[in-house]
Amino acid sequence: MSAFLSVRDLRKTFPVSRGLFGKPELLHAVAGVSFDVPAGTTFGLVGESGSGKTTIAKMVMAADEPTSGGIVIDGSDIATHGKAERFAFRRLLQPVLQDPYSALSPRMRVDRIIDEPLRIHRTYSSKAARAERVAYLLDAVGLPASAAQRYPNEMSGGQRQRVAIARALALEPRLLVLDEPVSALDVSIQAQILNLLRDLQDRLGLTFLLISHDLAVIGFMSTQVGVLYLGRFVEVGSKETILSDARHPYTLALIASAVPEADAAPVTGEIPSPLSPPSGCVFHTRCPVATDRCRQEVPSLRQLKPNHLVACHFAETTRKETRNA
Amino acid sequence: MRDAPSPDRPVLQRTGAKDRTLAASASERSSRWLASLQIWVAIILLAIVFGSALLAAFVTPYDPNEIGLDKALQAPSVQHWFGTDQLGRDVLSRVIWGGQVSLFLAACAVALAGAFGTLLGLVAGYFGGAVDRAVMWIADVQFSLPAVILALVLVGAVGPSFTNIVVVLSLANWARFARVIRSEALSLKSRDFVLLAKLGGASPLRIIAYHILPNVLGTFIVLATLDVGLIIILEATLSFLGLGVQPPDPSWGTMIADGRGYLERAWWISVFPGLALMATVLSGNLLGDALRDRLNPSQRRRW
């Protein structure tokens, strides 16, 4: 199983200045994250806001430089790319972002919006060929051909997101980075867009990196799931494992907040500041089963069974413990 | 759902509420009516001024530079609607020809100042950093110098030819464009569509031309309309001080200056070009305000 996207020990720190004369402190937005996404599958990154999901997405899209660590896409390390290589590489990977109202140029007609990447990369020699491609893409995302002549402000959020997907697909990318693709949409539209994305994945053999705070979305779409907390994974496993046999108290709490009848209590309180992460296990401040050991010793991300990694000292017993807590 | 009024739901109260909403919409309608009146007054005045200026050769009753000392200082009459000046020239003809000169000058200067300021504003706003600081620093220098004095010094140095006046007027007026367009570009560049264009491989030039420029055009039009008035006044000031349009060519500023010495005996020499100036600038400003409210209601009264 060769990975299409491979992320190795990715880190990103931002210097944050404290007042006028204070020494700048380092904010660890992403603190050592590794994962592989085999071609044609979906890797779901789930976590609260501030967990580093979007920072990871930005680095994968080469919109932001990692502080350290490597990102390998289709066998090529993106850190080594020169200008020309990066330009060519952009075709492999396209994003779909959260807010369909901000994602489309308001004064650009839909056909121009979808067509723009084709013009930039000069993939089609003639205007007619490009128009044909635009028509094909509109059809593929379930929009009528007449949508080409419209402006974004004449469309609903769901239609706009379809246009954004059509644009992302224009260059025949192999990887789509979906950053909260449906969280700005009505619930009834969310299902339509998610179904469309899954359908496109099957038809075009796309690989997805999906980012969401919504475990239901992650569960519907993903093959493999990584649970992020304060810029690091607390649990990684197949979708089935995470949904039915999660071991980390944070994952259990996330499931509890998504599914009311679940056993564990939903997570309470605020995520701690990444400027001064807690000692030991970063989750101990909100963990229902934390002990003194958790406050001192950092749990490693260890393998519990094949394809199931958990960063918890008590992973073997958490399911029982949280039920009692 | 509409059911028959029941005893516990008083009919009176419902009509009362209805009246209130009607009253609100009536006041809203009258304010909208006033706004459209404002636009129409402005458009009609500007149409008269621009139309007569464009067709000056056909609508003026006399040659604006034809001197007739026997007809000097005549009061407004059927032959000379706006009277004649100290050299017997027809004031109406001179107001119309002067309008042509003033408007053409102002249009050229606004176009130049607008293009220059918008370009710098786009570049400063999009690239930020040192470029932004440099551009804004130069703009602040322009702001800190009074426009009239800056123009006076520059025209004094290079001489009052048409091209020089246009260039000088734009040099004294580009910074407002740069500053407003910069702030628009700054907020636009953080929108997702710019990030997506970048991730699509678009060059900075392409992003500025296709994604930012079209979204600042509305602001540009409003600024330009408002600026026409300012520049006409500045040009009139220069002409009044003798550094603008040179005699015998008529210009509103020169005419007002010419009539200054005859105000007690022949008020019409200064007053009519003054009225023409005021009507043009006022309707330019009214139109600019109205356009701003129409094109971007969220930015009402921001600059």
Side-chain angles (χ1 to χ4, degrees):
Chain A
M1 203 161 62
S2 70
F4 184 74
L5 165 67
S6 180
V7 172
R8 282 288 157 270
D9 197 30
L10 194 65
R11 288 169 195 274
K12 178 74 186 177
T13 53
F14 296 102
V16 178
S17 58
R18 275 282 168 102
L20 201 54
F21 302 106
K23 232 171 71 183
E25 285 183 73
L26 288 181
L27 185 152
H28 296 269
V30 179
V33 164
S34 306
F35 58 91
D36 291 305
V37 190
T41 68
T42 301
F43 190 89
L45 282 172
V46 65
E48 289 165 279
S49 48
S51 60
K53 297 169 292 183
T54 298
T55 312
I56 294 176
K58 282 203 164 157
M59 289 189 281
V60 169
M61 294 185 292
D64 215 342
E65 296 283 332
T67 309
S68 71
I71 299 169
V72 177
I73 295 173
D74 200 20
S76 143
D77 186 345
I78 65 169
T80 65
H81 284 174
K83 227 177 159 182
E85 274 174 299
R86 177 152 298 184
F87 180 73
F89 147 86
R90 298 231 180 266
R91 298 187 52 175
L92 279 184
L93 171 163
Q94 284 289 305
V96 175
L97 304 182
Q98 173 173 9
D99 180 7
Y101 291 88
S102 174
L104 309 179
S105 273
R107 308 256 163 181
M108 229 186 226
R109 229 169 54 184
V110 165
D111 54 351
R112 288 295 310 270
I113 290 173
I114 298 175
D115 176 52
E116 192 189 29
L118 303 177
R119 290 166 183 268
I120 294 171
H121 289 266
R122 295 171 213 235
T123 20
Y124 292 85
S125 48
S126 74
K127 230 174 152 175
R130 282 203 312 263
E132 203 176 302
R133 176 82 182 144
V134 170
Y136 167 80
L137 288 165
L138 282 174
D139 184 56
V141 298
L143 285 171
S146 61
Q149 310 301 319
R150 287 158 72 187
Y151 283 89
N153 64 355
E154 302 166 36
M155 307 183 116
S156 68
Q159 289 173 320
R160 286 172 190 232
Q161 198 63 312
R162 286 174 194 268
V163 173
I165 294 169
R167 177 184 158 108
L169 293 174
L171 291 167
E172 300 178 52
R174 294 175 58 199
L175 172 66
L176 285 193
V177 176
L178 311 168
D179 187 355
E180 302 272 10
V182 295
S183 55
L185 304 175
D186 290 346
V187 180
S188 55
I189 309 294
Q190 288 191 0
Q192 292 177 17
I193 297 292
L194 292 176
N195 278 321
L196 170 68
L197 286 168
R198 265 177 52 158
D199 177 45
L200 289 168
Q201 180 170 40
D202 290 346
R203 276 166 59 193
L204 306 171
L206 297 167
T207 309
F208 287 164
L209 176 61
L210 170 70
I211 287 161
S212 181
H213 66 279
D214 186 343
L215 213 56
V217 170
I218 293 281
F220 181 71
M221 297 286 291
S222 307
T223 325
Q224 185 85 352
V225 178
V227 183
L228 273 175
Y229 189 78
L230 275 182
R232 56 212 93 189
F233 277 138
V234 294
E235 187 157 14
V236 185
S238 69
K239 174 184 80 181
E240 291 75 19
T241 307
I242 296 294
L243 291 186
S244 59
D245 192 24
R247 294 306 176 96
H248 197 282
Y250 179 60
T251 316
L252 291 169
L254 276 185
I255 295 171
S257 31
V259 192
E261 57 269 24
D263 296 328
V267 67
T268 54
E270 290 287 312
I271 193 164
S273 161
L275 266 177
S276 47
S279 64
C281 172
V282 286
F283 188 58
H284 81 247
T285 52
R286 297 162 84 188
C287 183
V289 297
T291 64
D292 279 343
R293 188 184 168 199
C294 303
R295 282 181 265 280
Q296 284 146 18
E297 197 184 322
V298 181
S300 59
L301 194 61
R302 61 201 169 96
Q303 183 156 338
L304 211 62
K305 62 176 195 215
N307 194 15
H308 188 189
L309 302 169
V310 188
C312 178
H313 296 307
F314 307 108
E316 286 79 3
T317 52
T318 43
R319 286 188 76 78
K320 235 185 311 169
E321 298 256 346
T322 46
R323 209 169 298 162
N324 300 336
Chain B
M1 214 195 291
R2 205 166 280 208
D3 39 17
S6 54
D8 54 354
R9 197 190 292 155
V11 179
L12 247 170
Q13 205 181 317
R14 283 172 82 192
T15 15
K18 214 174 195 178
D19 280 348
R20 249 193 317 258
T21 54
L22 265 182
S25 75
S27 96
E28 199 176 289
R29 230 176 312 163
S30 78
S31 104
R32 217 177 297 156
W33 183 81
L34 263 180
S36 73
L37 181 75
Q38 176 187 332
I39 295 184
W40 281 111
V41 168
I43 287 177
I44 289 169
L45 274 177
L46 283 179
I48 294 173
V49 174
F50 271 88
S52 59
L54 278 176
L55 304 172
F58 307 102
V59 297
T60 48
Y62 300 92
D63 179 340
N65 293 330
E66 185 193 291
I67 297 176
L69 288 174
D70 51 322
K71 294 189 296 178
L73 300 177
Q74 283 181 12
S77 63
V78 181
Q79 284 83 37
H80 299 281
W81 290 3
F82 287 4
T84 61
D85 67 3
Q86 71 279 15
L87 296 175
R89 295 174 295 194
D90 180 50
V91 173
L92 175 60
S93 305
R94 287 182 67 74
V95 165
I96 293 173
W97 278 102
Q100 187 182 54
V101 173
S102 293
L103 288 175
F104 186 55
L105 237 156
C108 292
V110 168
L112 194 63
F116 187 61
T118 302
L119 191 71
L120 284 181
L122 286 174
V123 169
Y126 183 74
F127 290 104
V131 183
D132 182 27
R133 275 196 294 277
V135 170
M136 283 304 109
W137 190 79
I138 304 172
D140 283 337
V141 170
Q142 194 243 275
F143 272 120
S144 62
L145 292 169
V148 179
I149 296 181
L150 180 65
L152 269 180
V153 171
L154 289 173
V155 175
V158 297
S161 77
F162 180 86
T163 328
N164 286 351
I165 294 171
V166 167
V167 171
V168 164
L169 290 179
S170 2
L171 280 179
N173 275 286
W174 62 273
R176 243 154 44 92
F177 285 94
R179 193 177 265 185
V180 176
I181 299 291
R182 168 192 174 264
S183 72
E184 295 253 309
L186 210 56
S187 80
L188 284 166
K189 89 167 177 182
S190 65
R191 304 273 299 274
D192 282 346
F193 59 79
V194 172
L195 174 67
L196 285 171
K198 260 188 233 165
L199 294 177
S203 62
L205 187 68
R206 184 181 192 95
I207 293 175
I208 290 176
Y210 288 100
H211 293 275
I212 299 193
L213 183 62
N215 292 301
V216 301
L217 275 185
T219 308
F220 173 84
I221 289 169
V222 172
L223 275 180
T225 319
L226 292 172
D227 224 39
V228 168
L230 271 181
I231 289 201
I232 289 180
I233 289 189
L234 194 55
E235 181 272 322
T237 312
L238 279 185
S239 299
F240 183 86
L241 294 171
L243 283 169
V245 179
Q246 294 301 298
D249 283 342
S251 119
W252 292 341
T254 340
M255 293 174 70
I256 296 172
D258 282 350
R260 212 170 24 134
Y262 301 91
L263 267 184
E264 290 114 69
R265 276 186 292 159
W267 52 268
W268 51 88
I269 304 178
S270 292
V271 165
F272 284 114
L275 282 176
L277 180 70
M278 199 195 80
T280 312
V281 174
L282 178 68
S283 43
N285 287 350
L286 286 178
L287 189 68
D289 280 347
L291 280 178
R292 178 187 54 201
D293 292 353
R294 291 259 161 130
L295 291 175
N296 205 343
S298 63
Q299 302 208 334
R300 243 165 245 219
R301 310 269 172 259
R302 224 177 62 177
W303 63 81

